[in-house]
Amino acid sequence: MNSSTWHAMDPEKVLHALQSNLNGLSDEEAKLRLHKFGYNKLKRRKKVSPLQIFLAQFKNTFVIMLLIAIVISVMIGWFETKAAAEPHVVLETYVDAIAIGAIVVLNAIVGFIQEFRSEKAMEAMEKLTAPKARVLRGGRDILIPATEVVPGDILLLETGVRIAADGRLLEAMDLSIDEAILTGESSPVRKTVSVFPAETPTADRKNMVFMGTHVTYGRGKAVVTSTGMNTQFGKIAEMVQIVEKEEIPLKLKIDRFSKKLGIVIIIVSIAIILLDLIRIRRIDIEIFMTAVALAVSAVPEGLPAIVTVTLALGARELAKRNAVIRRLASVETLGSTTIICSDKTGTLTKGEMTVRKIFVNNQTIEVTGTGYEPKGDFYLNGRNINPMDDPHLGLLLKIGVLCNNANYNGTRVIGDPTEGALIVAAAKGGIHKNEVETRYPRRGEIPFSSERKRMTTIHDMPDGHRVAYMKGSPETVLQLCDRVYHNGKEIKLSKAMRDKILRKNEEMASQALRVLGMAYKPISEQLTEYNKERVENNLVFVGLVGMIDPPREEVKEAVALCEQAGIKTVMITGDHKLTAMAIAKELGIMKSGLAFTGRELDNINDEEFEKIVENVSVYARVSPEHKLRIVRALKKKGHVVAMTGDGVNDAPALKQADIGVAMGITGTDVTKEASDMILADDNFATIVKAVEGGRVIYDNIRKFIRFLLALNFTELALVGSFAVIGLPLPLLPAMILWLNLVTDGPPAVALSMESPAEDVMRRPPRSPKEGILHGMIFFILASSLIQLVAEIGAFWWGFSVIGSVEKARTMVFLVACFYELIVVWNCRSESRNAFKVGFLTNKMLIIAVIISVFSTLAVIYVPTLRFMFQTVTLDPLDWAVVAFFASWGFLVVPEIFIKKKA
């Protein structure tokens, strides 16, 4: 068949077309197809260069304003340098530009480092693809680079092989494949050559193999149906590239705030120039430059730097709690999350199959403990029992250990998780695999297959006899049994007893347990050939074992805390609907909500889905496309969505979500690179800590923004009004910069370390539409007005009463400094004043205030600084006046001036 036959062909048609030639492609045909279909590798969109990423950091509104401020500062410096050649004047005039420039560069470097890492996502995806592949070419078994595999090649599969391309199975000998990176489910999938409908979901295509997955057991052959970007793996890679990461809410809010602030500053600056023009009927260059200087001073230069520092400090604290932040601005986003979409396996659950129930001797036994830790007890009717004292339970556990090909080292299972669960359950009862295998050596095996649904092993007994042990699907095992082990004896398996066992199987299955039946049969020592015809009949039924991938013990509490904080948890999994619902109910995720499968989602349009999306608690058997659709629908309804996951299948949805949360232990590199945050311990409960941390960080950002803006608007009003009236300037440019960076800087950073409010996890998430200044405008205006009056009073004392411009400026400077250092204590809470919060609970703020106080005093009493800032020393009466006006800061209490949230 020619190469064009393969284009977009259904796997079953490919298989039919190949029947005439099972020796593989010829070398010539392989070359033709390589030319037609291209190399079997993941293509990347045009990469964004490091320079482009760096330059993009300067597109932020605030940064543009700061760049303009630098240009204006240099212009002021040039004019003033021409007017006065004194060294201190030259230094003063360029200090603004240097300081602002340093802030801009620091901000750009931090943003560049964070965003450059996200470009590694596709590189990580490429690392997961197989470097080599065994194929059949012209009847020869050869090893070729995986990039040269083409549609029509026959892949040779064996244990440990990573699959190079998508393919339809031709042979499957006890073949199991780990498809966790595609489906998110930890249990290997048993493969078959049976025919499945074309619309069958990826997780159920048991006759297909997929690029990037790997063989855990058995062997097989598969004809390649898709390569490169046409594979399931490639489609996910394409989605990761196509999905555009939306702007972080905090960045959007600061940008919106910056634009509004810029408009206000421009209007005020133009008003000053126009008023001066009306007053003297000409444009005075000194007033013009003063207006420009005011615009520079009104921009809170320290805000981007302090926001960055706050986010970095918050990220460091979260890292100590096992939540590693990849994008700094994402720290606060989790705090505003309204819905967490979480994968089930390994995130909400342990990712380790665990035996929960055993039905033996007509009794149900509960088994405690979770995961692969050999700790747990056996309970019958609420009473703790010892398996070693119960011959029925002991026999069942022994069968589970001997009819088993997995290995267990005390903490980790190597092999099939279901078999691992049986070994761990036996270990809890004191039955250990290595000891039992020594006493009952294996003599033969009839392996499991998806068609047979059972496995049988033959062992020597200590007394010289032999016995066959079987495990498999309860229905299959029961069909091969004619007796049952009951009350220490083998008795005939009656129809009533058979029906009761089947009903018990259905009951356990309805609880989302994976159920296995156990049986045995004495074997004649003369039997030398062990096959199903001779061994698998007339067995003695022993009991049922029910197991599940259990929820993490701490997750139930974490889900409850999320609910208390107004956050809904939604389970999105590739597992079966019944299993997902059972786990969701146990965790408290599903109380009255709906459960949907991927196929059910395909049957409704987007408009219908958006009407019910907020009521759905569980999504099962979903594909990566479904996950994207779910996240987009929730975001369209106005939710801030966090998505957790570990497999490659989660990467596109993680990138689409407002904040993507990857698992640090089980997560793939692709998922981590596409995420905003990584849970180092793979623990859903860590998300709750991160939610709290995000809320605290956002609260603290609001605190220092409130603190910073109160001073900046006062400067604008004070200096602007004096310039228009014609009075001497009350503050010099160097003084203004000192107030912005030194007086405000350390306390603002200390505010970012404020302890969480008591109700931080008892209030609903804030609205994504809520502005960053929500409820604080009145506080800022009140503080600015009170400070303005206080500074005018201080200037009046120094200028009119004492008659010294230098003393008046010094007093205004000191009142501004100390007023702010008092107001900062009232910025620690939005509902309680400084006296109710206390002055000793934030040690960093105490240190910051002390540093600011002594730094300010240095400007007055250190000769060099006094010369640079043109200040003078004060006498006791002057200090008393400064203290009086500065103490007005205690009047700015949050109880009065902050609008309470509804």
Side-chain angles (χ1 to χ4, degrees):
M1 69 191 263
N2 60 46
S3 60
S4 62
T5 310
W6 296 85
H7 184 66
M9 185 176 283
D10 180 90
E12 298 307 322
K13 294 181 180 178
V14 170
L15 181 64
H16 178 73
L18 192 76
Q19 296 299 324
S20 59
N21 181 16
L22 294 176
N23 292 322
L25 302 174
S26 65
D27 291 338
E28 293 75 16
E29 181 63 22
K31 287 180 182 178
L32 287 174
R33 295 188 183 187
L34 185 62
H35 177 73
K36 179 177 178 60
F37 296 107
Y39 284 99
N40 177 36
K41 61 183 181 180
L42 304 179
K43 297 177 182 177
R44 299 197 61 180
R45 295 170 70 187
K46 187 177 180 180
K47 289 180 63 176
V48 180
S49 70
L51 179 61
Q52 288 174 308
I53 296 173
F54 182 74
L55 294 178
Q57 308 305 311
F58 296 91
K59 294 180 181 178
N60 176 285
T61 305
F62 232 132
V63 172
I64 292 173
M65 289 175 65
L66 293 178
L67 290 173
I68 294 172
I70 292 172
V71 174
I72 293 172
S73 295
V74 172
M75 288 172 58
I76 294 174
W78 185 78
F79 277 109
E80 293 191 357
T81 301
K82 289 188 70 176
E86 290 88 344
H88 75 274
V89 174
V90 174
L91 178 63
E92 287 173 18
T93 54
Y94 288 108
V95 161
D96 279 334
I98 294 170
I100 298 170
I103 291 169
V104 170
V105 172
L106 174 65
N107 197 63
I109 290 173
V110 172
F112 168 78
I113 291 172
Q114 293 295 324
E115 293 186 22
F116 180 69
R117 294 175 65 185
S118 66
E119 283 299 303
K120 296 180 180 177
M122 284 304 299
E123 295 172 15
M125 181 79 81
E126 289 166 354
K127 290 178 185 177
L128 282 173
T129 55
K132 295 286 184 180
R134 277 184 66 202
V135 298
L136 206 59
R137 289 260 178 101
R140 293 176 292 120
D141 177 351
I142 62 173
L143 193 67
I144 65 172
T147 55
E148 295 179 10
V149 170
V150 295
D153 264 327
I154 296 177
L155 297 174
L156 303 178
L157 311 175
E158 59 185 358
T159 302
V161 166
R162 187 175 293 279
I163 297 170
D166 288 4
R168 169 65 162 87
L169 281 167
L170 303 171
E171 296 177 8
M173 302 296 293
D174 201 14
L175 183 65
S176 293
I177 295 179
D178 183 351
E179 297 181 346
I181 65 168
L182 284 177
T183 65
E185 298 311 311
S186 58
S187 298
V189 179
R190 297 276 186 175
K191 292 295 182 176
T192 178
V193 295
S194 302
V195 176
F196 286 83
E199 66 274 10
T200 303
T202 302
D204 293 330
R205 297 178 195 171
K206 295 192 171 116
N207 59 1
M208 294 286 292
V209 295
F210 303 101
M211 173 192 273
T213 61
H214 69 274
V215 180
T216 59
Y217 192 76
R219 56 191 178 82
K221 292 181 181 178
V223 57
V224 174
T225 57
S226 304
T227 58
M229 296 300 286
N230 292 319
T231 62
Q232 291 295 317
F233 201 92
K235 289 174 184 176
I236 294 174
E238 187 173 24
M239 281 191 285
V240 171
Q241 295 183 62
I242 292 173
V243 173
E244 298 294 338
K245 191 70 183 179
E246 296 182 3
E247 294 285 9
I248 297 297
L250 175 65
K251 184 176 183 296
L252 291 173
K253 288 174 184 176
I254 290 181
D255 278 350
R256 286 197 296 266
F257 163 69
S258 302
K259 291 174 183 176
K260 292 177 182 177
L261 181 61
I263 293 171
V264 171
I265 292 171
I266 291 170
I267 291 173
V268 172
S269 300
I270 293 174
I272 291 171
I273 296 171
L274 292 177
L275 288 172
D276 185 64
L277 180 62
I278 293 171
R279 185 172 62 85
I280 63 175
R281 299 185 181 278
R282 65 183 177 81
I283 297 179
D284 189 304
I285 187 63
E286 184 178 358
I287 292 296
F288 177 79
M289 294 312 298
T290 299
V292 174
L294 280 173
V296 174
S297 68
V299 176
E301 294 94 341
L303 184 57
I306 296 175
V307 167
T308 301
V309 169
T310 303
L311 294 174
L313 291 174
R316 187 181 67 183
E317 285 302 310
L318 290 178
K320 293 177 182 178
R321 303 181 189 183
N322 293 315
V324 181
I325 303 300
R326 293 190 64 253
R327 300 179 67 207
L328 279 184
S330 301
V331 174
E332 66 84 30
T333 309
L334 196 59
S336 62
T337 298
T338 57
I339 290 183
I340 298 175
C341 296
S342 175
D343 188 35
K344 177 182 71 69
T345 303
T347 308
L348 296 170
T349 65
K350 296 274 290 184
E352 301 171 348
M353 295 298 291
T354 305
V355 173
R356 279 279 185 89
K357 287 187 178 181
I358 294 173
F359 179 71
V360 66
N361 198 27
N362 205 27
Q363 296 174 316
T364 301
I365 297 170
E366 305 283 342
V367 186
T368 63
T370 58
Y372 294 153
E373 192 174 7
K375 293 181 181 178
D377 297 301
F378 297 80
Y379 288 89
L380 175 61
N381 299 322
R383 180 174 53 88
N384 194 330
I385 63 172
N386 185 349
M388 306 298 284
D389 298 333
D390 186 324
H392 301 84
L393 179 57
L395 176 60
L396 181 140
L397 294 174
K398 185 171 69 176
I399 294 172
V401 168
L402 291 172
C403 188
N404 195 312
N405 287 327
N407 290 303
Y408 176 62
N409 62 9
T411 57
R412 181 168 170 259
V413 167
I414 303 169
D416 188 278
T418 299
E419 293 190 326
L422 296 173
I423 298 174
V424 175
K428 292 176 183 178
I431 300 173
H432 301 286
K433 184 176 174 67
N434 56 348
E435 297 173 2
V436 176
E437 285 183 331
T438 302
R439 291 188 63 204
Y440 302 89
R442 184 184 295 191
R443 296 304 177 193
E445 175 185 346
I446 306 174
F448 175 92
S449 73
S450 55
E451 290 79 17
R452 286 169 30 80
K453 297 182 180 179
R454 62 187 183 271
M455 171 185 177
T456 304
T457 55
I458 296 88
H459 300 264
D460 284 341
M461 301 286 284
D463 60 5
H465 293 88
R466 285 185 181 171
V467 64
Y469 292 133
M470 175 186 286
K471 77 172 190 296
S473 75
E475 298 87 350
T476 302
V477 173
L478 266 176
Q479 284 179 354
L480 301 172
C481 294
D482 60 4
R483 287 162 294 161
V484 61
Y485 189 51
H486 183 69
N487 289 336
K489 298 183 295 183
E490 296 178 7
I491 64 173
K492 183 179 179 181
L493 180 60
S494 65
K495 184 178 185 303
M497 180 66 77
R498 187 186 299 272
D499 290 342
K500 184 172 184 178
I501 294 170
L502 289 174
R503 283 197 302 272
K504 193 65 182 180
N505 173 47
E506 291 174 1
E507 177 189 321
M508 293 169 71
S510 69
Q511 297 168 356
L513 296 174
R514 182 176 298 172
V515 187
L516 293 177
M518 303 287 184
Y520 73 92
K521 176 185 177 180
I523 299 291
S524 170
E525 295 86 348
Q526 284 74 38
L527 195 64
T528 56
E529 184 179 349
Y530 305 110
N531 54 47
K532 61 182 180 180
E533 289 77 15
R534 295 189 177 190
V535 176
E536 295 182 335
N537 52 56
N538 304 321
L539 282 90
V540 181
F541 188 81
V542 177
L544 302 172
V545 177
M547 62 189 73
I548 196 170
D549 179 8
R552 290 177 178 267
E553 295 174 359
E554 63 278 8
V555 167
K556 188 171 184 178
E557 182 182 353
V559 170
L561 283 173
C562 283
E563 185 177 8
Q564 179 181 290
I567 301 167
K568 181 179 179 180
T569 305
V570 175
M571 179 190 291
I572 302 181
T573 178
D575 209 342
H576 293 281
K577 184 176 180 179
L578 193 63
T579 304
M581 289 175 64
I583 296 292
K585 288 176 180 176
E586 184 173 346
L587 290 173
I589 292 173
M590 188 176 187
K591 294 178 179 177
S592 58
L594 304 174
F596 265 70
T597 64
R599 189 167 289 181
E600 288 169 336
L601 276 180
D602 290 334
N603 293 331
I604 60 174
N605 58 39
D606 288 344
E607 186 178 346
E608 293 172 324
F609 181 43
E610 286 166 16
K611 290 178 181 178
I612 62 168
V613 67
E614 293 175 299
N615 298 321
V616 182
S617 299
V618 173
Y619 296 91
R621 310 303 279 174
V622 295
S623 67
E625 292 88 346
H626 291 135
K627 293 185 178 185
L628 271 175
R629 188 182 177 194
I630 293 164
V631 172
R632 285 169 176 163
L634 287 169
K635 291 178 71 173
K636 197 169 181 179
K637 296 291 284 188
H639 288 284
V640 176
V641 182
M643 169 73 184
T644 72
D646 52 6
V648 171
N649 62 317
D650 295 320
L654 259 64
K655 196 170 181 181
Q656 177 68 53
D658 294 289
I659 180 162
V661 185
M663 301 299 110
I665 299 173
T666 59
T668 61
D669 287 345
V670 178
T671 311
K672 292 175 185 176
E673 293 295 340
S675 69
D676 301 294
M677 185 175 83
I678 299 171
L679 301 183
D681 57 358
D682 283 16
N683 195 335
F684 182 87
T686 301
I687 296 176
V688 178
K689 300 174 187 175
V691 167
E692 179 182 2
R695 291 187 175 192
V696 170
I697 289 165
Y698 189 78
D699 285 352
N700 291 345
I701 287 174
R702 277 173 53 87
K703 290 171 187 175
F704 68 65
I705 286 179
R706 172 162 42 116
F707 171 64
L708 289 174
L709 292 186
L711 172 64
N712 284 58
F713 282 116
T714 303
E715 295 170 356
L716 189 64
L718 180 70
V719 179
S721 59
F722 272 51
V724 171
I725 295 171
L727 290 172
L729 291 179
L731 290 170
L732 296 176
M735 292 177 174
I736 294 172
L737 187 64
W738 183 273
L739 290 171
N740 285 353
L741 297 180
V742 179
T743 302
D744 290 356
V749 172
L751 280 177
S752 71
M753 303 177 191
E754 194 66 47
S755 300
E758 294 178 358
D759 66 340
V760 69
M761 289 300 287
R762 293 198 299 268
R763 61 186 188 229
R766 67 182 178 277
S767 169
K769 298 178 182 178
E770 181 183 292
I772 200 165
L773 297 181
H774 178 76
M776 300 194 305
I777 298 295
F778 193 29
F779 181 97
I780 293 170
L781 293 178
S783 177
S784 298
L785 180 60
I786 294 172
Q787 184 178 355
L788 178 62
V789 174
E791 290 175 359
I792 290 173
F795 188 86
W796 170 80
W797 178 268
F799 185 67
S800 299
V801 177
I802 300 176
S804 168
V805 174
E806 290 78 13
K807 181 162 285 193
R809 284 174 178 160
T810 302
M811 293 179 70
V812 170
F813 174 65
L814 290 172
V815 167
C817 286
F818 294 130
Y819 178 92
E820 286 298 322
L821 295 178
I822 290 173
V823 168
V824 70
W825 296 98
N826 278 329
C827 291
R828 295 179 62 199
S829 170
E830 295 189 11
S831 59
R832 297 184 298 162
N833 63 59
F835 294 97
K836 291 181 179 178
V837 174
F839 292 91
L840 302 177
T841 52
N842 187 335
K843 293 180 181 178
M844 288 304 298
L845 183 56
I846 296 173
I847 295 171
V849 169
I850 291 173
I851 290 173
S852 293
V853 167
F854 280 98
S855 299
T856 301
L857 292 176
V859 173
I860 308 300
Y861 291 105
V862 175
T864 304
L865 292 176
R866 188 167 66 238
F867 175 75
M868 287 182 61
F869 286 86
Q870 300 181 49
T871 58
V872 295
T873 57
L874 304 182
D875 56 38
L877 181 60
D878 298 330
W879 273 112
V881 173
V882 168
F884 170 72
F885 285 117
S887 66
W888 289 13
F890 286 118
L891 300 176
V892 191
V893 292
E895 290 94 329
I896 297 175
F897 298 114
I898 291 188
K899 180 183 177 183
K900 303 296 185 296
K901 293 184 181 181

